[in-house]
């Protein structure tokens, strides 16, 4: 058995780009996730990771209407490396 599931909570880094593939809409954008921790010198360090997101179908239409740069999102899905 194997599981491919990811949960991301972060902020949208760019405006949503929506295109049509066949008869379905696809929304693409980036999301930034950050973590803060104390470095070896005792100072706080912030590390940010950027993730490319693609959403298909009805969810792409919802993203097109409501998601803008800076919006905080909770996303659940699977990882697919291209």
């Amino acid at each position: 058995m194997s599981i491919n599931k990811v949960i991301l909570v972060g902020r949208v880094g760019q405006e949503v780009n929506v295109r049509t593939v066949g008869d379905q809409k696809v929304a693409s954008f980036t999301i930034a996730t950050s973590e803060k921790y104390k470095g070896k010198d005792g100072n706080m360090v912030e590390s940010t990771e950027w993730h490319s997101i693609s959403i298909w179908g009805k969810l792409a239409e919802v993203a097109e209407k409501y998601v803008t740069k800076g919006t905080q999102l909770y996303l659940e899905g699977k990882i697919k490396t291209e």
Side-chain angles (χ1 to χ4, degrees):
M1 184 170 115
S2 64
I3 297 173
N4 183 356
K5 182 173 183 174
V6 65
I7 297 172
L8 295 172
V9 178
R11 295 209 176 263
V12 176
Q14 64 189 43
E15 293 301 325
V16 177
N17 177 24
V18 178
R19 63 188 191 283
T20 302
V21 176
D23 60 347
Q24 285 195 45
K25 285 191 174 186
V26 181
S28 302
F29 56 93
T30 58
I31 186 169
T33 57
S34 299
E35 67 173 319
K36 293 180 184 177
Y37 57 92
K38 278 191 180 180
K40 291 180 181 179
D41 59 2
N43 292 325
M44 292 301 291
V45 178
E46 184 173 5
S47 175
T48 302
E49 290 285 330
W50 288 93
H51 311 274
S52 297
I53 308 297
S54 295
I55 301 175
W56 290 73
K58 286 285 189 186
L59 286 177
E61 294 175 18
V62 172
E64 182 178 28
K65 284 184 179 180
Y66 300 108
V67 177
T68 60
K69 182 178 179 179
T71 302
Q72 187 173 29
L73 292 181
Y74 171 96
L75 300 172
E76 282 189 47
K78 64 180 180 178
I79 294 176
K80 183 176 179 185
T81 305
E82 295 182 359

